[in-house]
Amino acid sequence: LHSAFCILHSAFCILHSAFCIHSSCRPVMSPLSFRLPGFSGFSLFMMVVSMSFFGLGSSQPFFAKAQSDNDGSAASACPPPLVKPVEPFDLASYLGEWYVQAQAPNSYQPVNTLYCVKATYSLEDGATTPQRIRVNNQARTGSVTGPTRGGLPGNNDAFLQAIVRGNNKGELAVGPRFLPDFLKGPYWIVHYDSDAGEAIITGGAPTQTGENGLCKGARGSFFNPNGNGEGLWVFTREAMPSEDRVSALTDKVRELGLDPSVLVRVPQDGCGTFETD
């Protein structure tokens, strides 16, 4: 789910304009449109790079209203010293299905898509360096009975892929599988309890100051193309844990120095089976 990621639409437009000065290419539409008149090989490459990271969904505010704007300012206390990839880390035990209980809306997971959010991780076939993980994110839009977002039948051609960055620590990078590895967004497992079946994930080191001096992630932008620190997720293996347990995990978020006011509670009751399961 994972991961925060680059939004380089503005960069594409600027670079394409600069390229056209030398190439006399025709004006083009947004790289997010389906019509691509006047595209050269360079332009097509920049379009691919500029595509937004695919993600999932939303619901109602959790402990406070969701913060969707980068309205904080960097402070010396951020990122908090406790927010770093866990180590040692057992990747094999982490793989499998996770249910998102609360998360921060982000550029690729707007609030109206945060229903029934879950993520499934499995190793890619074959030995590779770095190790590669198939990421299958699923959610519903609008309600727990809304249309499915994400997921592909059989999980064989999942749109997203993770690579293992850290040696024996919970540091991954996630993005569309067609992107070069260096453009994939940071995915840090900052709390993991295999026995309890719980995890807390950030999109890297949060650099912005939120409520009560706690830290939150910066939004993806031209100057922050990988959305450094964007994203905060609370995972459990259990689809519908008790509210006391979710509250305890939220307390853990605060103990790590992260701002829990950005979290939105993700409904999991009544979700049913995804069509792509």
Side-chain angles (χ1 to χ4, degrees), residues 40-57:
S40 64
F42 172 86
S43 302
L44 182 59
F45 171 75
M46 288 307 303
M47 179 209 74
V48 169
V49 172
S50 69
M51 290 181 68
S52 296
F53 181 44
F54 174 82
L56 302 173

Side-chain angles (χ1 to χ4, degrees), residues 150-168:
L152 290 173
N155 223 14
N156 291 323
D157 296 307
F159 184 75
L160 299 177
Q161 182 186 70
I163 60 170
V164 177
R165 287 261 194 244
N167 182 21
N168 196 32

Side-chain angles (χ1 to χ4, degrees), residues 28-259:
V28 301
M29 298 177 67
S30 162
L32 301 181
S33 69
F34 290 99
R35 298 174 57 195
L36 305 174
F39 261 57
S40 64
F42 172 86
S43 302
L44 182 59
F45 171 75
M46 288 307 303
M47 179 209 74
V48 169
V49 172
S50 69
M51 290 181 68
S52 296
F53 181 44
F54 174 82
L56 302 173
S58 162
S59 77
Q60 299 302 314
F62 190 21
F63 296 99
K65 74 180 184 69
Q67 307 257 338
S68 59
D69 298 321
N70 181 13
D71 55 3
S73 57
S76 59
C78 295
L82 294 179
V83 174
K84 54 188 176 183
V86 296
E87 51 183 324
F89 175 68
D90 181 6
L91 176 63
S93 71
Y94 185 77
L95 299 175
E97 191 169 81
W98 290 97
Y99 293 89
V100 180
Q101 300 303 327
Q103 73 165 84
N106 54 57
S107 58
Y108 49 90
Q109 289 180 299
V111 71
N112 71 317
T113 63
L114 298 182
Y115 295 86
C116 310
V117 187
K118 70 174 183 176
T120 305
Y121 304 99
S122 58
L123 282 179
E124 298 264 350
D125 296 332
T128 62
T129 302
Q131 281 185 293
R132 297 183 182 276
I133 299 166
R134 184 180 296 110
V135 179
N136 189 16
N137 287 345
Q138 295 170 288
R140 294 191 184 278
T141 301
S143 73
V144 295
T145 58
T148 298
R149 190 163 188 246
L152 290 173
N155 223 14
N156 291 323
D157 296 307
F159 184 75
L160 299 177
Q161 182 186 70
I163 60 170
V164 177
R165 287 261 194 244
N167 182 21
N168 196 32
K169 64 180 180 178
E171 183 178 1
L172 310 177
V174 180
R177 61 176 55 249
F178 61 77
L179 282 179
D181 289 349
F182 73 92
L183 286 176
K184 290 180 167 64
Y187 176 111
W188 288 8
I189 302 149
V190 298
H191 167 71
Y192 176 46
D193 187 328
S194 177
D195 294 333
E198 63 186 42
I200 297 171
I201 293 87
T202 70
T207 57
Q208 305 298 306
T209 303
E211 290 190 4
N212 300 315
L214 298 171
C215 301
K216 64 180 183 177
R219 299 286 297 194
S221 67
F222 179 80
F223 296 103
N224 183 30
N226 286 326
N228 179 39
E230 183 183 23
L232 175 61
W233 296 265
V234 174
F235 282 8
T236 63
R237 293 290 193 190
E238 188 179 2
M240 290 179 287
S242 68
E243 286 301 316
D244 286 345
R245 186 176 177 201
V246 176
S247 180
L249 277 168
T250 305
D251 289 341
K252 181 65 177 178
V253 166
R254 185 180 293 103
E255 290 169 9
L256 290 169
L258 298 168
D259 180 6

